[in-house]
Amino acid sequence: MLSLTEVATPAPGASRPAEPTTTKTFDAFGRHIHYLRVSLTDRCNLRCVYCMPEQVVFRPTEELLTDHELFTVLEVMDALGFDKYRLTGGEPTVRPGLVEIVRRIASLPNAREVAMTTNGLKLARLARPLKDAGLNRVNISIDSLDPVKFKRITRWGDVRDVLAGIEAAERVGLTPIKLNAVVIRGFNEDDVVPLARLTLEREWQFRFIEVMPFADVAEFQQASIVPTHEMMARIEAELGLLIEENGGRLDGEAKVYRLPGARGTVGFISPVTAPFCASCNRVRLTADGTLRLCLLKDGELDLRTPLRRGANKDDLLDLIRAAIWRKPWGHDLAHGVIPMNRIMSEIGG
Ligand code: SAM
Ligand code: SF4
């Protein structure tokens, strides 16, 4: 039987070590959980059709973790051996104080990688300060290169801003650059070809994502899913055979291929048709302070209430490692079980 952590955590009252710890945290299935996705806000400067309703109502600010509360939780995750962080949202670049938040996460003793998923709109200005603060790399969402389609998907975005953000990110070295497109029937299923074509000339990884169902948006999402095999067939018909990379092993959650002669790669994230739960190594912190154990299951641990009632870091550490132990094996989309308590923008992907 595995213990919750391989190495005992410091005794109550002991000060946290300033150097990296060798602590590792496992769930009951023996998965080493060391990757935290941190949603910094549920707010966004776009309204993508597959993510949120147009009339979305955001949470009141007082429900969101303050910077101080956020760092209390992050220091506990660090003590549990978490070493990889991804900032997300909503749109992480609309969170006030983002650059300072990155600087503090990058200086956590165990932090090995700090990445961010963003719609890229504000990156042209932010790429340099974020890089200087310690951000390692970015994933940028771009669902179409066609300005009209891009606007239809995002409800008002200008794709030129995203392209400027991608160029800025590359220029300052937020690399390797990964680009994400959620593929939606009737909106951008034929854009997979021009998007994949970008990898012929650029050293980017372009990742195509199957849309996942959440709460109020689930009906639209389920009606508009384009399965990975269809995306692959469309790309191969125009651009040639996709050649498997990494011996077929997943890169994070993506299965990666290369087009003949391409400088970059093409990835497919298939949570609906080919779940990757067995290799899951992550949990998520929502902007309102819950630890979400599985993207596609409603089970969460409320951390904001104990934080505001005066829990100390040792109390939080006990709560979090017990919750991680109970992390579910995987989602149940195949049996019709859909997450109902949050939409994607409240979790962060
Ligand atoms: N605003 C940032 C962005 O769009 O990149 C970060 C947050 S967004 C929720 C994170 C990722 O989730 C994006 O790549 C987005 O395209 C993707 N996404 C949003 N809703 C989705 C859904 N229902 N199914 C699959 N991916 C989704
Ligand atoms: Fe905003 Fe990202 Fe959701 Fe689009 S996918 S609405 S950019 S949070």
Side-chain angles (χ1 to χ4, degrees), residues 41-52 58 88-92 117-121 141 143 153-155 182 344-346 348:
T41 177
D42 63 336
R43 290 168 173 69
C44 188
N45 43 7
L46 293 178
R47 298 285 185 279
C48 302
V49 289
Y50 51 75
C51 180
M52 54 169 78
F58 298 121
T88 176
E91 174 49 38
T117 304
T118 171
N119 61 30
L121 293 186
S141 302
D143 301 318
I153 294 168
T154 59
R155 293 196 174 102
V182 177
M344 186 61 142
S345 57
E346 295 177 293

Side-chain angles (χ1 to χ4, degrees), residues 137-157:
R137 47 180 213 85
V138 283
N139 288 19
I140 302 171
S141 302
I142 179 163
D143 301 318
S144 176
L145 296 172
D146 176 330
V148 175
K149 285 192 195 172
F150 185 85
K151 185 165 278 179
R152 185 167 170 243
I153 294 168
T154 59
R155 293 196 174 102
W156 60 63

Side-chain angles (χ1 to χ4, degrees), residues 2-9 22-26 32 80 321:
L2 283 165
S3 62
L4 284 171
T5 56
E6 274 188 350
V7 175
T9 46
T22 52
T23 303
K24 287 186 177 176
T25 301
F26 293 90
H32 176 204
L80 285 165
R321 68 179 174 185

